[in-house]
Amino acid sequence: MQSESRSKSKELYQVSTDQRERLAMSVERLDQSSHKIRERDLGQTFDSNITLPHYEKSPKKGQAVLFVGDLSYADNHLNHDNNRWDSWGRFSERSTAYQPWIWTTGNHELDFAPEIVKLLAPSMEKINRLSHSRIGTVLLTELQAAQNHFGKYTPQYSWLEEEFPKLNRTETPWLIVLNNSPWYNSYDYHYMEGETMRVMYEPWFVKNIVDVVFSGHVHTYERSERISNIAYTVVNGICSPVKDQSAPVYITIGDGGNIEGLATKMTEPQPKYSAYREASFGHAIFSIKNRTHAHYAWHRNQDGYAVEADTMWFSNRFWHPVNDSPSSDS
C-alpha cells in the first residue's frame, strides 16, 4: 500500500499489464496460473468434499485462495477439539501445499473458552494480526470478524485509518477487502450482524473506491449492486442503500460446505440492493484481465465444472469507473 516502495519490492511485485489473474470465491483460493479464487465456511463435511474437488477440476485455476474465515469448526466440538484442526489441515493440504491461501478470521476462530486457551495466550497474540496482502496487481485487505474489536481507537480501526492514505492504485489497481460478516445480507441468518462495523467503515470504502468486498458467515450465496448507505444524519433520516458507482460490490460467499448447512430463508421481497442470491454450495473465480476489467463467475456444486451460475464483468473503480451493473434497470 506504500505510495513509495523500495526498488527491490517493486521488482518483486512488478506485473506486466497483460498478466491475468483469477480469484475464486467459494473455495477462496488462487492457483498457480493467472487466476485467483476464494472460499469461505469450508468446514470438513460431505459438501466440503464436493466444493474443493469441484474447484480443483475446474478448467480455470487460480493464483491463490482467498478465505474469509471459519475454517475447521473445531469450536463446535467438545472442548473445542483440536483434532478437528488436524483433520481439516489434512483435508485442505491437497491445495495449501501447492498454492497460497490468504485468510481472515471468522467467528469460529475467535475462541471464547478461556479455560481452554489460557495456556495458549502468548501464541494466540500472533493470530490477532492486522494485515494486507499483495498479489500482482491486487491489494487484499483482511479485516477481522465483526465479533472482534473494530471500534474507534481499536488497533484494527487505527491500522486501517493509517493504511488507506498509503494506497497506490498504479502499483495495485485492484483493491479487494476480505471480511467475515457481510454488511449487506438479505437472508434471515445473521441478519444485520455486521451493521455497526458497516456504519463505521463503509465511508472509507467509498472514499477509497474499493472494487469488491468478499464476506462469509452466512452459509449461502449473494451478490449486491454497487450501493452505499452513508448519507444518514439524525436530521435528514436518509437510511436506505442507494446505487453508488464509487462503492464496492458486496459478495457473500459462505457456501463452501460448513458444518451448519445452507442458509435458505430469505427476506421477501428481495431488496433492490440485492442483484442475485441463491442457496447453493459452490465456489467462484475472479479473473483479472488487466487494470480496467475483471470477470467474475460463481459455480454451483451441482453443475458441471465449466458452468457459470452467476457472472459479472467488473470495471475497476479507479481506472475505469463506468456503470458495470448487469441489472437492466441500472
Side-chain angles (χ1 to χ4, degrees):
M1 297 177 86
Q2 300 283 353
S3 59
E4 297 182 8
S5 59
R6 298 176 183 176
S7 58
K8 184 176 180 180
S9 298
K10 289 183 178 179
E11 290 180 10
L12 182 63
Y13 292 111
Q14 186 172 0
V15 177
S16 61
T17 56
D18 62 348
Q19 179 176 355
R20 298 185 178 187
E21 301 165 282
R22 295 180 189 165
L23 299 106
M25 310 314 155
S26 184
V27 186
E28 295 174 8
R29 57 186 211 167
L30 305 145
D31 260 2
Q32 299 302 330
S33 64
S34 55
H35 314 76
K36 296 183 183 143
I37 292 184
R38 133 184 221 109
E39 120 185 346
R40 138 79 184 174
D41 296 89
L42 185 58
Q44 42 192 317
T45 66
F46 175 84
D47 294 298
S48 309
N49 206 32
I50 296 176
T51 302
L52 192 52
H54 194 236
Y55 159 67
E56 291 173 323
K57 294 178 181 179
S58 170
K60 298 179 180 179
K61 294 291 185 282
Q63 283 184 321
V65 175
L66 313 183
F67 205 111
V68 288
D70 293 356
L71 284 71
S72 73
Y73 287 83
D75 64 328
N76 276 51
H77 298 272
L78 182 65
N79 294 325
H80 297 212
D81 186 2
N82 278 332
N83 290 318
R84 302 303 297 177
W85 281 107
D86 294 336
S87 59
W88 190 86
R90 289 191 293 271
F91 167 69
S92 60
E93 186 178 21
R94 57 198 286 174
S95 173
T96 59
Y98 301 102
Q99 62 178 167
W101 284 38
I102 299 172
W103 325 90
T104 189
T105 56
N107 58 301
H108 288 277
E109 282 71 67
L110 300 176
D111 202 321
F112 294 107
E115 70 280 6
I116 297 175
V117 301
K118 183 177 181 180
L119 297 178
L120 301 176
S123 61
M124 291 294 286
E125 292 178 2
K126 298 178 181 178
I127 298 177
N128 274 333
R129 67 185 188 277
L130 301 166
S131 66
H132 56 262
S133 306
R134 184 174 173 182
I135 302 178
T137 58
V138 179
L139 188 66
L140 300 161
T141 298
E142 299 104 44
L143 300 182
Q144 294 182 359
Q147 293 85 354
N148 207 338
H149 301 297
F150 59 84
K152 195 168 185 179
Y153 308 121
T154 61
Q156 180 163 221
Y157 184 97
S158 299
W159 170 75
L160 201 58
E161 187 176 36
E162 293 174 359
E163 291 300 315
F164 268 129
K166 301 176 185 178
L167 287 172
N168 186 335
R169 300 297 282 271
T170 299
E171 292 185 358
T172 51
W174 293 89
L175 179 56
I176 297 173
V177 174
L178 311 182
N179 182 37
N180 177 248
S181 188
W183 295 353
Y184 290 96
N185 165 35
S186 68
Y187 288 78
D188 281 3
Y189 301 83
H190 304 301
Y191 184 66
M192 294 189 74
E193 280 189 12
E195 182 65 5
T196 304
M197 192 177 194
R198 181 198 67 77
V199 170
M200 297 196 66
Y201 286 29
E202 188 180 18
W204 282 344
F205 286 18
V206 175
K207 178 181 178 181
N208 293 280
I209 45 181
V210 172
D211 291 293
V212 59
V213 177
F214 293 112
S215 302
H217 198 44
V218 180
H219 303 151
T220 193
Y221 175 77
E222 184 168 21
R223 173 177 56 82
S224 79
E225 302 283 359
R226 288 199 182 278
I227 41 91
S228 67
N229 188 3
I230 58 175
Y232 176 81
T233 66
V234 175
V235 176
N236 65 31
I238 301 174
C239 57
S240 297
V242 296
K243 290 191 176 182
D244 186 344
Q245 291 304 310
S246 295
V249 171
Y250 293 88
I251 296 177
T252 300
I253 190 106
D255 55 353
N258 66 88
I259 198 173
E260 298 164 347
L262 277 173
T264 57
K265 190 175 181 181
M266 309 172 184
T267 59
E268 298 292 350
Q270 183 173 357
K272 292 182 179 180
Y273 68 74
S274 175
Y276 185 97
R277 60 183 184 175
E278 181 178 335
S280 292
F281 290 116
H283 73 273
I285 295 178
F286 194 87
S287 179
I288 296 175
K289 306 302 182 180
N290 48 45
R291 70 171 54 200
T292 60
H293 289 85
H295 182 260
Y296 169 81
W298 176 59
H299 302 261
R300 301 180 301 187
N301 283 358
Q302 63 265 37
D303 294 331
Y305 300 127
V307 176
E308 299 176 343
D310 181 38
T311 64
M312 176 178 173
W313 275 99
F314 279 74
S315 294
N316 185 279
R317 293 300 89 191
F318 185 87
W319 292 102
H320 192 56
V322 300
N323 187 345
D324 56 4
S325 174
S327 301
S328 59
D329 60 344
S330 297

